[in-house]
Amino acid sequence: TAAKTNTSFVMSRATASTSLLPQVFAGWQLTGTPQESTNPQAADPGNGAVLKEYGFTQYETASYTRGPDTLTLKALEFGDATGAYGAFTFYRQPDMVPEQIGRDAAFDGERVLFWSGTVLVDAKFGRLMPMSAAEMRDLVTLLPQPTGNLNLLPTLPSYLPPQHLKAMTVRYAIG
């Protein structure tokens, strides 16, 4: 069933055509009904126009549990890898630490932000554990992966001189 919420459709898993997030991965079990929308304002009310510029197509947010632990995932899908990469650079903060998850990732002690293919994921753990990064790598294998040109990265960032570059401050804008 679909319910109208602030000009966006929030759909239950039963009516959704394409799921971004799995029901189970790395011992985490989906709890409740994920929410989805194709409205960028619903995905991020303060930055909907930015998401639209990056080619936003849909988002899904879901809660997971494993024993007493909790995890909230928010996945944003874009029309191609360039959009996911751009959104990653938009949300990544300079004080975040680089991590090896998906094609690029950053971590701030409470959340992990990463992207793979056309999907950007923001993971917020109830408590981070030593295996949290490995669990997110397991999740990457379950995300939709585009083929062909949709999976190509922009080449512009590779032209930036590496000397004195603060990688976590690089932003990629489309427009």
Side-chain angles (χ1 to χ4, degrees), residues 31-128:
T31 58
T33 302
Q35 291 189 343
E36 298 179 332
S37 178
T38 57
N39 182 339
Q41 292 294 353
D44 185 344
N47 295 302
V50 172
L51 295 178
K52 187 175 180 180
E53 188 71 26
Y54 283 125
F56 172 86
T57 59
Q58 67 174 325
Y59 94 99
E60 181 175 342
T61 186
S63 297
Y64 293 83
T65 58
R66 183 179 60 202
D69 298 317
T70 61
L71 168 65
T72 301
L73 296 178
K74 183 176 185 177
L76 297 109
E77 187 175 44
F78 298 86
D80 58 25
T82 298
Y85 170 72
F88 171 75
T89 67
F90 177 77
Y91 286 109
R92 177 184 61 197
Q93 298 300 306
D95 60 339
M96 293 178 110
V97 177
E99 184 60 64
Q100 293 183 350
I101 302 169
R103 290 182 79 173
D104 203 355
F107 158 72
D108 72 359
E110 295 179 7
R111 68 190 256 241
V112 178
L113 184 68
F114 66 92
W115 73 278
S116 180
T118 59
V119 180
L120 171 68
V121 176
D122 189 350
K124 294 181 183 171
F125 289 85
R127 80 182 160 106
L128 282 167

